[in-house]
Amino acid sequence: MRENLRDLPRAVRGSIVRHGATDSDRTRSQIVANNFFLHAQSARVHKHSLRPSTTWGLGLIALILFAILCVTGTLLMVYYKPSVDQAYDSVRDLGFIVPTGRMMRNVHRWAAHGMVLVVLAHMARVFYTGSYGGRRAFNWVVGMVLLVLTLGLSFTGYLLPWDQLAYWAITIGANIALSPREVTDALGLTATFDLGGLQKSLLLGSSTVGQEALIRFYVLHIVLLPVVLVAFLGVHFWRIRKDGGLNRPADAGARLGPDVRNGRAIFPEGSGKTYGLMALVRGRTGAVDRGPEHTVSAWPHLFQAEMLVLVLTTLAMLALGYLFDAPLKELANPSVPENPAKAPWYFLGLQELVSYSAFAGGIAIPAIAVLGLMLIPYLDREEETSGRWFAGPSGRRIAALSAVFAAAFVVAMLWFTVSVGWIRSWFPASPQWVITLCNPGTVYVVAFALWSAAFARRTRSTRMGAMALFTCFLVAFAILTYFATFLRGPNWDFYWSSSDWPAH
Amino acid sequence: MTHPPKDPSLEPSARFRREVPRRDFLGLAALWSFLTTGVVMTMGALRLPMPSLFPETGAKFRIGPPDRFPPGSRTRLPERGILVLRDEKGFRALDLVCTHLGCITRTEPDGSFACPCHGSRFDAEGNVVRGPAPSRLRFLAISRAPNGDLVVDRGTAVGPDRWTVA
Amino acid sequence: MNGRGFKILTIVGCLGTLVFLGLEAWNEHFAGEWRAWQDRYAEGLPADLRAGFAPALQQAFLPDLERVDRCQSCHVGIDDPAMAGAELPLAAHPGDLLSSHPVEDFGCTVCHDGQGRAVSLPAAHGRVPHWEEPMLAGDLVYTSCGRCHAANALFGPERELYGEEEGGAAILADDLAATLPGAALLARGKELAATSGCLGCHTYQGLGGTLGPDLTHVGDKGVHGYDFSHLPAGTERTPLAWLIAHFEDPSAVSPGSVMPGFGVGEEDARALAAYMLSLRSIDVPARFRVPPARRSTAPAGGEALYGLFCVACHGRDLQSGAVTAFRTPSIGNESLLCVADDAYLASIVRNGRRGTNMPAWREDAGGLTSAQIDALVATIRAHAPDRADASAVSAAAGDPRAGAALYRGRCATCHGLAGEGGIGTRLNSPDVLAVLSDDALARTIVEGRPNTGMPSWRNLRTSEVSDLVAFLRSWEGPRVEIAAVAGRLAAGEGDADLGARIYAGRCAACHGPGGEGAIGPSLANDGFLSLVSDEYLAYAIRDGRPGTAMPAWRSLAAEDVGDLVTHLRTLSDAPRRALPASIAQGDPEHGELLFARACAACHGPEATGGSGPQLRNPVFLDHATDGYLFTTIAEGRPGTPMRGFARAGAARPDRPGGAAGIADLTSAQIADVVAWLRWLRHAPPPPESARTVLGSIGRGQEIYENLGACARCHGARGEGGIGPALGQPSFQRQTSEGHLIATMVLGREGTPMRQYASGGLADLSAPEIMDVSAYVRSLAYDLPAGPEGWRVYAETEDRIRLGRELFAGYCASCHGSDGRGGFAPELANPDFLAAASDGFLAATIARGRDGTPMRAFGPGPAGLAILSPDEVRAIVAAIRAWAGEPPPATSPPPTPPLPPSQ
């Protein structure tokens, strides 16, 4: 008894950490394997994966930001009142009487924007390193879903402060959801099948943005979307493991040189050795010929890297939150539209297109883009270049070319539409379906499609075609976003800078 | 009583045993600074649920001019949950909130007080007669507003022998 | 990168993170200016209090005002008397407003605006982007009172509109300035608003015009309600700044606005702006509200109403208003006011004028009661004061030459340069003038004939009217010299036969072929002829009996008068009797009583005549000597209903005793009666009611409508037609009994009016004529109301066609084809046509309108185009034909114009 008491600390520790000092690869692996939080990752990690240039830690940053958002969001819920009468005041009070409230809100805001940015970057990284091929195809699709969910989260959160910015951004968004009517009207279907109307009323719970919409957005923002996102997140990570960890070029090992530990190779190349499961499954399991050569144990190598990313991300967020206040404009006023009323920045590219056709810009093109992205792994099955940035120098060149082309083309189009105008400015009477079919957005799509198709044919490589297309879209997205953010003023007119805006 | 048998797997195999490298105090420093930061951050975050001000009227509230309460009167102010007593010595304000679990006591015909929740009884002066109430009903401090109105401070309790002179 | 780098970076990152956490913690616990202020406040506290004082955020939590004010965190001494006059923000609140508005019950922002939740400058004072209610300081604070105090309990215009006895809870402008010195600015603004005619275009609490925005809750308009894009650069973007700039130059700040600048200065503009901001809706719970003052319906003075509603457009001088964007007619124009009667003005005010900027002000539109509208009209009238007093006019005092000038300017266009008539009736005929007494002329000139072309020249001076009458009289030729007549008679040069012929032509109709008397008294009467002198007769013939059927035969030459007198003398052979030269001085008051008892039955209670002749007649009284009167009363007039009234023996002052009278009046009493009659000579004119009506109205109507066929010209109800509207009160006032009768008997030369007496074309007996006059008198009581009474000129197709052609030729260039208006007002305007009578139109066309581009189109010197009277009438008919719909149902009938005396 007395000994038991004496041993109590050890016993307790042993019951939690069931291994001795981390003085061996084995115990290190056990740390990972036996730790709930760590075992999502493999016990050993390939040196190539540890290089920052492989992933730049983007996926991890996205995860960290999501975690930060969950924490800060939960804390903010303590004060936030989802009612049109109190929402705005409660948000204001955060900065006035809530300790760390201002900081908390700022961090939440910047982290939200950051997450969108990072997720996009993560997607680009995965694409340009060709890490969507083969087994990873489905995980790429899951990633797409996560991207959409991220945007959804950010968008729903946008309304909650109930200020002018929020109110009118959401009003625009809701009416974009309504825009399928353009088509159904053109086809005369609206009476029977009113998709747009359905979407909008589901979103707002009334015909205009009001208390109903606020509650719905609140629920979406704090319950529905996060839960769904977490679920897909689990799938995402789980698939990473099951699809063989981080992708890397076939010759990654070779490029790292022979892995020699204690003077001799652990697993000679090409040995027929496999890990367990032989009795359970026929054929070879995923790990075969992926011996621990060129790998190091995740503890501490991987985790200290991850810790660093965590720390730096947190620091960045804290700095942003401390230095820059999240915007909060006047109390929402349904009778006075903001001018210009701008959607969140990541939708501004679309808003530029929406300014011609709500349906094409707000529904069709995004849908095409997302669908196209989802289909990429199934259309492009080239595996050999997988894992290499831009699939090598030729790809790099094509990406660069496409970027230049897209930039030139988009800028030209913008110049044209701003200075010359578009169909409506020449034939004011032209029916809506004409606009819906032929507007800058559709022009972009067609142009980029042709461009990339040409490359695909010339290089006889779907990968190259995909790269061209992806690059075009990415550049177009960036330019349009910049243009709409900084060069569009009141009444969606063009201004070189907001200092030229007419006073109001 | 013997030790539970040790899990052999916990025994480091001689083949892989190595010294903890000396320079790894850096790693420990990193780890500890990381943990410290985490703790500080958590503490900071946990300050949030405690606002500087509660959304409620302050502890001090006006109950009107003195002549609202004629001498010898016991005026119950339900909206404030207090009873204003005025006698020749002056004003006193009795907090009607039961000192047991915070129900509002009701005034009996004989001037005593009864708590509906758990049956505590107080006499006309607020002293506990029976029931679970741990202490007498509180008398609240009364002060004067610049314009002479009486101001009751729910925040500060005073003894039963503290009158505010009219 | 190796593990070492990872670790170092991690440590650095952690330290950085800790730095920011530390900063945040510092802000949380030590920063915040409110701490510094509360420490400063604590230092000033007495020791005992200082011990208990713990710096903390303060707040007034006001859920039912939807406010949380934390201003006291810095303004910690706001309700601490000890801090009076201390430095801001520690100072106590100035004034004693806090005693009625304690901070813990009302907070601060309900009056001061700003951002009550904020705990730091400048956020708390709302001087930050995205906060719409910057703090109100100084006298602007009072613009918030409207949040709880009903607007009309504060600065509403009700005081001007409604009686002051209804003050109620109202804090009115002037005593407001007294009770709240700070609110002087608002008081000034309110005063300006109440006297600048704001409500002419703007509505306040359902009252006023609709051309401009409603001002009832203009103070609620947030910063978004204003378009700042036209503010001069550098002006701050606040409603106050906008309003100030707006009042200084409205069209500059809101282009296209027709609102005039009113030439207010910086300070007044600020006052008006503040007043506008104070007009708020009450959005606080009931227990905070101060009820509005109970509204009284007592009409305000027309002046105040004019200041509230009209002055902006029509100007203080009724000539030109500040609103230059509208072409508002100058209603102060005398040439308008003389042709437009009150009914016209009231109708326009009541119903406005569709298609123009003149709104309707009746109760269901602009919100003015009829009483208030009448008050307004009175105010407008007062601008052109009535100077003439018709009863004071005397032709004798007039200067015909001056009259001629006046006539040429004012009358010639209608009555013709030589008075030959045109649009107006002929004036230069002796017969016409013979039946028109000076009084009738004067009254007609002064009052005009409403709804006819005859304007009211009430703005002429009495002397000028006298001049006019004198001039008109001049057409009768020189008055016969009675002396000359007497001379001829004395010389016996009178020719009875000639006289008989004259008598047959001029007198027989009334006095009977043999002078036996009918409408006029009998002349072939010994008692009469034996008493009167030739002079008396000559005077009677020359001057007639004004106001009775006896015309003044000025057109007769001295010879004619002589011959007439000679002829009259032949009617009786009774010897001339001498009359007592003088009688005892009687007592008029006593005489009045006696008269009422003995004489009123026949001569009328006011001696204005009845079955007996009119005694209250200047000419009669001037020439009937006391002796004549005395003798006639005493002895009566044999052969007439006039009996002798003298007591036996007292009949003759010179001879006591003698013939007996039936009523026994002593000579003294008779003298009293005479004295009273003498007194009547200069007594004020008798009231209308004094008119005794002879004859039967019923029979009169029968004759009027059938036998005499008067209705054909004068309208079935006397509403007029080819002939004048006999039913008109003004006509009734201006024409005496005798005038009517005389006109019927003699007809009206130069007009379709014929002679109706026996011997005339239509053979009406004397009683029948009496009956008709009685009926015509009765017409006054059912004067047809509204436009249907104005059909002075019959609209026949060809006349309208002619009118249209003339209109196209002369008027369309300004008034637009079809009278749709253009440079000149729209004539085919239902509201206008509902208000304007044919006469109004005719007079305006003929006379033009001074001070406007509208010139005189009638004949005469002033005439631009010489339109014949018939052409003018044709144009009127054409315009009238445009009156498509009847006037708005809501418009009550125009009230008949009242004479100045009433």
Side-chain angles (χ1 to χ4, degrees):
Chain A
M1 187 61 212
R2 201 178 306 113
E3 300 148 13
N4 287 8
L5 282 177
R6 201 181 325 113
D7 284 349
L8 193 58
R10 257 186 68 248
V12 171
R13 182 180 181 284
S15 68
I16 300 170
V17 188
R18 308 220 306 280
H19 50 71
T22 60
D23 52 0
S24 72
D25 285 1
R26 173 191 204 144
T27 48
R28 292 189 178 121
S29 344
Q30 281 170 335
I31 290 180
V32 180
N34 300 343
N35 181 306
F36 175 81
F37 298 98
L38 302 186
H39 88 284
Q41 295 158 336
S42 56
R44 298 186 68 77
V45 54
H46 197 282
K47 287 180 182 165
H48 179 275
S49 306
L50 277 182
R51 296 164 144 199
S53 64
T54 310
T55 66
W56 297 113
L58 290 166
L60 178 61
I61 295 179
L63 173 66
I64 295 169
L65 288 177
F66 180 63
I68 293 181
L69 285 166
C70 291
V71 174
T72 52
T74 313
L75 287 167
L76 290 175
M77 281 167 61
V78 172
Y79 289 102
Y80 178 74
K81 305 184 185 67
S83 121
V84 293
D85 300 330
Q86 307 178 44
Y88 184 73
D89 286 339
S90 62
V91 172
R92 282 238 175 226
D93 266 355
L94 281 174
F96 294 149
I97 57 166
V98 178
T100 73
R102 167 184 154 280
M103 185 80 152
M104 212 56 81
R105 172 161 184 265
N106 296 350
V107 169
H108 193 75
R109 180 67 159 237
W110 301 135
H113 287 324
M115 184 172 169
V116 174
L117 201 58
V118 171
V119 167
L120 287 171
H122 177 56
M123 175 183 73
R125 194 278 297 174
V126 172
F127 178 85
Y128 281 120
T129 56
S131 308
Y132 51 77
R135 287 167 300 183
R136 297 188 169 84
F138 177 68
N139 213 13
W140 167 267
V141 174
V142 175
M144 282 301 132
V145 176
L146 287 173
L147 168 64
V148 173
L149 285 172
T150 308
L151 293 179
L153 267 169
S154 184
F155 183 67
T156 48
Y158 214 75
L159 176 63
L160 302 189
W162 200 251
D163 61 348
Q164 282 287 77
L165 187 66
Y167 185 91
W168 291 103
I170 301 307
T171 303
I172 292 172
N175 286 314
I176 289 179
L178 180 70
S179 61
R181 277 207 183 153
E182 273 184 32
V183 180
T184 48
D185 282 345
L187 303 178
L189 294 178
T190 312
T192 53
F193 169 71
D194 182 9
L195 177 60
L198 185 65
Q199 289 187 21
K200 184 179 177 181
S201 26
L202 277 181
L203 202 55
L204 299 189
S206 84
S207 53
T208 58
V209 180
Q211 179 63 64
E212 298 307 316
L214 182 55
I215 284 290
R216 290 179 182 224
F217 275 59
Y218 184 63
V219 171
L220 282 172
H221 186 68
I222 66 164
V223 182
L224 201 57
L225 295 179
V227 168
V228 177
L229 186 128
V230 167
F232 276 90
L233 217 47
V235 179
H236 203 52
F237 296 156
W238 184 73
R239 286 296 295 230
I240 295 174
R241 288 292 306 278
K242 289 305 158 193
D243 298 343
L246 289 183
N247 186 25
R248 58 181 175 277
D251 58 353
R255 287 214 244 114
L256 290 169
D259 173 48
V260 179
R261 179 174 299 141
N262 310 334
R264 60 187 183 80
I266 311 159
F267 292 104
E269 294 289 335
S271 85
K273 182 163 187 173
T274 69
Y275 300 117
L277 302 179
M278 299 89 86
L280 304 182
V281 300
R282 176 169 289 117
R284 326 174 91 190
T285 60
V288 168
D289 80 18
R290 296 284 181 87
E293 73 281 4
H294 300 300
T295 62
V296 292
S297 53
W299 180 279
H301 299 90
L302 174 59
F303 295 127
Q304 68 189 15
E306 293 184 342
M307 183 167 73
L308 173 63
V309 175
L310 171 59
V311 168
L312 294 184
T313 313
T314 317
L315 172 61
M317 286 305 129
L318 279 178
L320 281 175
Y322 182 84
L323 298 176
F324 305 105
D325 281 341
L328 182 63
K329 306 193 84 177
E330 299 87 351
L331 174 64
N333 181 345
S335 60
V336 181
E338 278 281 279
N339 194 5
K342 290 192 176 183
W345 63 270
Y346 40 81
F347 285 158
L348 277 180
L350 296 183
Q351 196 174 341
E352 174 64 20
L353 304 183
V354 167
S355 65
Y356 299 93
S357 157
F359 176 73
I363 303 271
I365 292 174
I368 292 172
V370 172
L371 234 71
L373 285 169
M374 283 185 173
L375 288 179
I376 282 182
Y378 303 101
L379 302 179
D380 161 36
R381 301 235 184 76
E382 299 176 16
E383 281 293 318
E384 59 276 8
T385 60
S386 148
R388 298 179 50 196
W389 277 92
F390 300 101
S394 59
R396 204 177 295 270
R397 201 169 55 256
I398 284 176
L401 263 178
S402 307
V404 173
F405 162 74
F409 188 77
V410 173
V411 170
M413 274 299 284
L414 287 174
W415 170 83
F416 180 79
T417 48
V418 165
S419 55
V420 182
W422 198 249
I423 298 179
R424 270 286 158 78
S425 39
W426 313 319
F427 317 106
S430 50
Q432 181 55 44
W433 62 268
V434 173
I435 311 284
T436 310
L437 283 182
C438 172
N439 60 64
T442 48
V443 170
Y444 291 139
V445 173
V446 173
F448 297 159
L450 293 177
W451 167 270
S452 49
F455 268 105
R457 183 172 298 106
R458 228 180 65 246
T459 57
R460 292 201 170 56
S461 153
T462 51
R463 179 109 173 80
M464 295 305 157
M467 195 123 63
L469 188 60
F470 186 88
T471 312
C472 288
F473 272 109
L474 207 58
V475 172
F477 175 83
I479 295 181
L480 287 176
T481 306
Y482 170 85
F483 183 79
T485 310
F486 298 106
L487 303 185
R488 283 297 192 183
N491 313 322
W492 210 246
D493 293 333
F494 174 83
Y495 293 93
W496 276 115
S497 89
S498 60
S499 56
D500 308 344
W501 288 7
H504 174 80
Chain B
M1 182 83 196
T2 66
H3 300 299
K6 268 179 149 189
D7 174 357
S9 72
L10 292 181
E11 286 302 323
S13 85
R15 214 173 95 215
F16 290 119
R17 175 176 296 120
R18 262 193 280 110
E19 305 290 308
V20 176
R22 193 178 291 101
R23 60 174 158 77
D24 202 33
F25 80 90
L26 195 57
L28 290 178
L31 187 59
W32 280 112
S33 57
F34 175 73
L35 295 178
T36 328
T37 315
V39 172
V40 173
M41 206 182 303
T42 316
M43 282 162 50
L46 290 185
R47 293 265 301 102
L48 175 132
M50 189 57 206
S52 323
L53 286 167
F54 287 125
E56 63 191 10
T57 43
K60 292 188 170 195
F61 52 86
R62 284 174 198 245
I63 58 174
D67 51 19
R68 177 182 171 187
F69 311 98
S73 68
R74 294 164 63 90
T75 316
R76 190 185 170 99
L77 303 179
E79 74 279 10
R80 298 294 194 185
I82 64 168
L83 183 85
V84 182
L85 301 83
R86 178 173 184 182
D87 47 31
E88 63 288 348
K89 297 216 196 74
F91 296 96
R92 288 184 301 170
L94 189 63
D95 187 356
L96 291 175
V97 174
C98 175
T99 50
H100 177 224
L101 290 177
C103 301
I104 304 286
T105 56
R106 65 168 181 275
T107 322
E108 296 296 323
D110 60 359
S112 66
F113 305 93
C115 177
C117 297
H118 306 96
S120 305
R121 303 297 297 267
F122 309 85
D123 65 13
E125 277 294 295
N127 304 307
V128 184
V129 180
R130 61 180 167 80
S135 64
R136 55 162 302 113
L137 293 179
R138 309 184 315 156
F139 278 103
L140 302 177
I142 301 183
S143 58
R144 291 300 191 85
N147 68 346
D149 284 2
L150 296 176
V151 177
V152 174
D153 181 359
R154 191 182 288 287
T156 53
V158 297
D161 49 4
R162 165 89 171 279
W163 279 266
T164 303
V165 277
Chain C
M1 169 178 300
N2 59 15
R4 183 186 176 81
F6 278 141
K7 292 164 187 166
I8 294 177
L9 263 181
T10 307
I11 297 175
V12 175
C14 291
L15 294 182
T17 311
L18 285 172
V19 168
F20 281 108
L21 290 174
L23 286 172
E24 182 65 14
W26 169 270
N27 291 346
E28 189 54 47
H29 293 281
F30 305 105
E33 53 258 71
W34 62 270
R35 284 199 173 80
W37 289 117
Q38 292 200 6
D39 294 343
R40 180 88 64 87
Y41 175 70
E43 291 164 13
L45 285 176
D48 54 342
L49 287 180
R50 196 186 313 157
F53 182 88
L57 282 174
Q58 304 293 322
Q59 75 177 2
F61 182 75
L62 310 158
D64 46 8
L65 284 177
E66 291 169 349
R67 288 167 195 280
V68 177
D69 291 353
R70 308 190 171 117
C71 317
Q72 284 174 282
S73 305
C74 289
H75 297 276
V76 59
I78 199 67
D79 53 4
D80 177 352
M83 299 303 287
E87 61 170 335
L88 280 171
L90 300 179
H93 194 284
D96 63 346
L97 273 175
L98 283 195
S99 57
S100 51
H101 303 70
V103 177
E104 58 265 46
D105 297 348
F106 289 81
C108 312
T109 57
V110 72
C111 297
H112 287 272
D113 282 352
Q115 185 175 192
R117 290 175 175 272
V119 293
S120 67
L121 277 177
H125 289 185
R127 312 216 183 285
V128 287
H130 310 320
W131 190 256
E132 294 168 3
E133 296 176 337
M135 195 182 78
L136 296 173
D139 43 14
L140 288 178
V141 174
Y142 298 91
T143 61
S144 303
C145 303
R147 277 210 179 101
C148 306
H149 299 266
N152 80 336
L154 263 184
F155 317 112
E158 279 67 14
R159 183 177 208 182
E160 281 66 19
L161 265 184
Y162 302 104
E164 306 185 9
E165 76 282 0
E166 295 296 340
I171 307 170
L172 298 162
D174 39 13
D175 41 345
L176 175 78
T179 49
L180 298 175
L185 182 73
L186 280 187
R188 171 66 179 151
K190 173 189 179 306
E191 182 191 346
L192 283 168
T195 54
S196 305
C198 303
L199 297 196
C201 296
H202 300 277
T203 307
Y204 179 79
Q205 291 188 348
L207 199 64
T210 53
L211 288 171
D214 187 327
L215 297 182
T216 310
H217 295 152
V218 66
D220 293 343
K221 218 162 45 150
V223 67
H224 292 301
Y226 299 88
D227 172 11
F228 295 107
S229 50
H230 300 95
L231 275 186
T235 322
E236 62 172 350
R237 304 305 198 220
T238 62
L240 179 70
W242 188 93
L243 284 166
I244 291 177
H246 176 70
F247 281 116
E248 282 171 342
D249 184 356
S251 53
V253 178
S254 47
S257 163
V258 298
M259 175 160 162
F262 294 107
V264 295
E266 168 70 35
E267 193 44 37
D268 282 354
R270 190 160 174 279
L272 276 169
Y275 175 51
M276 289 301 122
L277 291 178
S278 74
L279 300 178
R280 297 168 174 266
S281 62
I282 294 190
D283 56 356
V284 295
R287 73 183 179 94
F288 290 94
R289 295 182 189 164
V290 176
R294 193 157 53 85
R295 271 187 163 203
S296 152
T297 54
E303 279 303 333
L305 287 165
Y306 187 84
L308 256 180
F309 295 98
C310 321
V311 77
C313 290
H314 292 291
R316 307 199 182 285
D317 56 359
L318 283 77
Q319 296 292 354
S320 59
V323 185
T324 51
F326 307 158
R327 281 210 322 279
T328 42
S330 78
I331 48 180
N333 188 330
E334 291 202 345
S335 64
L336 164 69
L337 288 175
C338 69
V339 289
D341 55 12
D342 293 2
Y344 171 82
L345 296 174
S347 171
I348 291 295
V349 174
R350 186 176 290 106
N351 303 319
R353 195 175 286 193
R354 258 166 274 173
T356 76
N357 293 314
M358 174 67 184
W361 292 104
R362 57 175 180 274
E363 198 130 28
D364 61 349
L368 289 187
T369 64
S370 303
Q372 289 170 324
I373 290 177
D374 293 345
L376 262 178
V377 172
T379 309
I380 297 171
R381 275 277 171 239
H383 185 77
D386 310 341
R387 298 208 205 86
D389 170 10
S391 56
V393 170
S394 85
D399 166 7
R401 268 189 273 87
L406 285 165
Y407 181 89
R408 228 175 284 113
R410 287 190 162 72
C411 321
T413 43
C414 290
H415 293 287
L417 263 177
E420 70 274 21
I423 298 168
T425 47
R426 173 178 175 185
L427 295 177
N428 62 2
S429 127
D431 289 357
V432 173
L433 292 166
V435 294
L436 279 170
S437 65
D438 291 357
D439 181 55
L441 286 172
R443 279 173 172 274
T444 314
I445 292 169
V446 171
E447 297 172 7
R449 288 276 175 81
N451 301 353
T452 75
M454 180 62 193
S456 150
W457 299 107
R458 64 184 82 199
N459 58 326
L460 286 178
R461 282 182 194 69
T462 308
S463 64
E464 292 174 313
V465 180
S466 304
D467 298 344
L468 261 176
V469 175
F471 172 68
L472 295 180
R473 286 290 172 217
S474 72
W475 276 322
E476 296 176 312
R479 306 165 111 216
V480 171
E481 285 304 326
I482 299 301
V485 177
R488 283 184 59 82
L489 291 174
E493 294 172 7
D495 180 335
D497 300 346
L498 282 178
R501 224 169 287 127
I502 296 173
Y503 180 90
R506 295 245 160 90
C507 320
C510 288
H511 293 287
E516 62 276 22
I519 297 170
S522 72
L523 303 176
N525 179 301
D526 297 346
F528 171 69
L529 288 175
S530 63
L531 285 183
V532 296
S533 65
D534 292 349
E535 286 77 3
Y536 177 90
L537 291 172
Y539 271 115
I541 295 169
R542 187 190 74 175
D543 297 340
R545 293 274 181 267
T548 74
M550 177 63 190
W553 296 112
R554 298 208 187 168
S555 51
L556 293 179
E559 298 78 6
D560 306 337
V561 178
D563 297 348
L564 253 180
V565 173
T566 320
H567 169 69
L568 291 180
R569 286 290 174 207
T570 63
L571 297 179
S572 156
D573 46 12
R576 301 283 301 285
R577 288 168 44 187
L579 293 176
S582 71
I583 60 170
Q585 177 57 39
D587 166 11
E589 295 181 11
H590 191 201
E592 181 170 16
L593 299 177
L594 290 167
F595 185 88
R597 209 179 68 209
C599 325
C602 295
H603 292 284
E606 293 282 343
T608 50
S611 57
Q614 182 185 59
L615 303 178
R616 185 176 200 162
N617 184 297
V619 180
F620 167 72
L621 290 172
D622 284 349
H623 302 109
T625 63
D626 291 352
Y628 174 74
L629 294 173
F630 187 98
T631 314
T632 311
I633 297 172
E635 301 177 357
R637 178 137 312 152
T640 75
M642 178 71 186
R643 306 274 197 293
F645 288 85
R647 168 184 296 172
R652 302 254 312 259
D654 56 343
R655 197 188 60 184
I662 50 157
D664 50 356
L665 295 181
T666 66
S667 57
Q669 288 171 318
I670 296 176
D672 293 342
V673 175
V674 173
W676 187 63
L677 291 176
R678 284 272 168 250
W679 176 82
L680 282 178
R681 170 66 177 93
H682 303 292
E688 302 288 320
S689 60
R691 289 225 171 95
T692 47
V693 176
L694 302 175
S696 134
I697 292 176
R699 256 180 292 130
Q701 178 169 14
E702 201 277 336
I703 298 163
Y704 180 88
E705 287 166 359
N706 309 326
L707 181 51
C710 319
R712 218 180 290 150
C713 296
H714 294 288
R717 292 165 299 164
E719 68 267 30
I722 299 173
L726 305 178
Q728 279 189 355
S730 55
F731 177 87
Q732 296 280 341
R733 263 200 312 281
Q734 295 154 6
T735 54
S736 64
E737 196 81 23
H739 182 161
L740 288 176
I741 295 168
T743 313
M744 276 187 277
V745 169
L746 299 170
R748 173 69 48 91
E749 189 177 355
T751 74
M753 181 68 193
R754 300 174 297 174
Q755 300 186 354
Y756 285 85
S758 49
L761 294 171
D763 194 359
L764 293 184
S765 70
E768 287 171 330
I769 287 179
M770 297 285 208
D771 296 339
V772 175
S773 90
Y775 174 66
V776 171
R777 275 277 166 235
S778 73
L779 284 176
Y781 305 113
D782 52 10
L783 169 67
E788 69 273 15
W790 300 340
R791 297 287 183 273
V792 176
Y793 307 132
E795 297 176 15
T796 60
E797 274 315 312
D798 49 356
R799 169 172 264 172
I800 293 176
R801 205 177 308 109
L802 168 63
R804 289 273 155 83
E805 288 162 10
L806 292 163
F807 189 89
Y810 291 110
C811 325
S813 55
C814 290
H815 289 285
S817 56
D818 302 345
R820 283 294 155 215
F823 166 71
E826 181 185 39
L827 299 180
N829 180 305
D831 295 321
F832 169 68
L833 291 175
S837 65
D838 292 358
F840 175 91
L841 295 172
T844 313
I845 295 170
R847 300 206 57 259
R849 186 162 299 173
D850 309 345
T852 76
M854 175 69 186
R855 274 153 305 174
F857 287 86
L864 166 80
I866 309 299
L867 290 180
S868 78
D870 211 54
E871 289 170 329
V872 172
R873 292 200 191 91
I875 293 177
V876 171
I879 295 173
R880 178 63 60 197
W882 278 321
E885 67 258 38
T890 50
S891 95
T895 50
L898 303 173
S901 59
Q902 294 190 8

